[in-house]
Amino acid sequence: MRHACRLLATGLLLLLAACKEPTTIERIQEDGALRVVTRNSPTTYFQDRTGEAGFEYELARRLADRLGVRLQMETADHLDDLYQRLQQPNGPALAAAGLTPSDQRRQQVQFSDSYLPTNTQVVYRNGRPRPTQPSELVGKHILVLKGSSHAEALRQLQAELPELRWEESDSVEVVDLLRLLDEGQIDITLVDSNELAMNQVYFANVRVAFDFGEPQGLAWAMPLSDDSSLRDEVNAFLKQAAEDGTLERLRQRYYGHVDLLSYVGAYTFAQHLQQRLSRYEQHFKRSAQSHQLDWRLLAAIGYQESMWVPDATSKTGVRGLMMLTQDTAQAMGIANRLDPRQSIEGGAKYFATLHANLTEDMTEPDRTWFALAAYNIGIAHLSDARKLAKAEGLDPNKWLDVKQMLPRLAQKQWYSKTRYGYARGGETVHFVQNVRRYYDILNWVTQPQLEGTRLAERSLHLPAVDKTAPADAPRL
Ligand code: GLU
């Protein structure tokens, strides 16, 4: 009898072990899908010409790859909806949506380590008095996202400033807040620094009043659970992404234009987008179509070359909106380089020729970056840089590899050994980088859901500009 009992007990134990609840990670792997809830916004998740894109999307996709599962994105209508979904029994595994951890939120969800440093910025409209401290927000028309960390911050501030009033809306996104401010419909809003940095280029009247509170960082949110498997995995993943440069690459890709625009001038770009690009948009589209190119890429080249100024001239003899040399213009059958339509057509044909003539085993998107480099430095020097890459054991068909070699074309110890000699390869690296950044911006402003409206009328509502004001001189 005792023996039988012991057997039974062992059996039960085994059964219990076999029935042990799977961990969150095991469940995700069993399902074969990582469900992530997000917001549809330029800093998080959106559709571009190539499909799904966005900082949060790309980071989450890498986590899904690491787990060997499919990524399933879902978008919440607003922040409260996002937190509700996260807490549902069969809800998403995590929220990746530019979220700021807070004590109040920690009662409902748990957060990962931070993956992007940010801080809250109070913004106001250029031309209005600039508030410099929280007490000056009293009496202002303030609008923030409902359920946001900013609404929470204002509630805390109200404890010290009982007269402080604000509105919260769950039917707007951060881009709308900035637009309303830009148009003068509200006085103040609070947004994360990364959101402002990303969108500043579209809103010429938006200015930072002051930084609010302590620097924070964005983090992913997960349902509260006794099982820490997912949070541990996410933190290990983020740590690795920080160490292997993934986070920095994504930051560069999505926010890199901000560094660039700080010297080109975000306001200037916003104005040029409206004043100048609309004049040439049809030419870009027509030439792009006849050479099977993306018109936004051509427009980005044009902005890098001349800031969309048709009679731009440089000391080296290149001229026109696409800055063609005399020889290139001739080879492309262009009679007048200063005619914007002809210049764009010549630039498009030249780019398409370079792109087509690159070696067959070069794949996209690298192929496009190489064609851009060739547009700037010429195919001969580019081939030198590719040879240098090969000699170093790098891949001559990878832009990231050849990019490291290009600056060597300006150093005697290296260029003296190349076939075509000295070239300003460092400038080419900048050229490609800048064009890619403009291209990213143009991709965002011209997303499919905004197509069909004229550029100046798109929902981002570029700032109204004074058409009588003299155009800025080109900076070449
Ligand atoms: N980080 C904010 C939050 O967690 C959302 C983004 C913003 O409003 O700028 O509520």
Side-chain angles (χ1 to χ4, degrees), residues 5 23 25-26 48 58 70-71 90 109 214 239 265 271 277 288 311 401 411 445-446 473:
C5 277
T23 63
I25 286 287
E26 285 165 350
D48 74 5
E58 291 209 28
R70 185 160 53 77
L71 175 65
N90 287 316
V109 295
E214 297 299 310
K239 185 161 181 271
Q271 285 190 340
L277 179 58
D311 54 0
D401 286 3
Q411 297 164 28
V445 208
T446 59

Side-chain angles (χ1 to χ4, degrees), residues 39 79 83 97-101 105 145 147-150 173-174 177 190-195 218:
R39 299 184 290 140
L79 283 164
Y83 283 101
L99 301 174
T100 312
R105 286 175 170 177
L145 293 193
S148 67
S149 52
H150 312 307
E173 246 305 333
V174 179
L177 292 176
L190 275 66
V191 295
D192 288 343
S193 49
N194 64 309
E195 303 260 8
L218 302 182

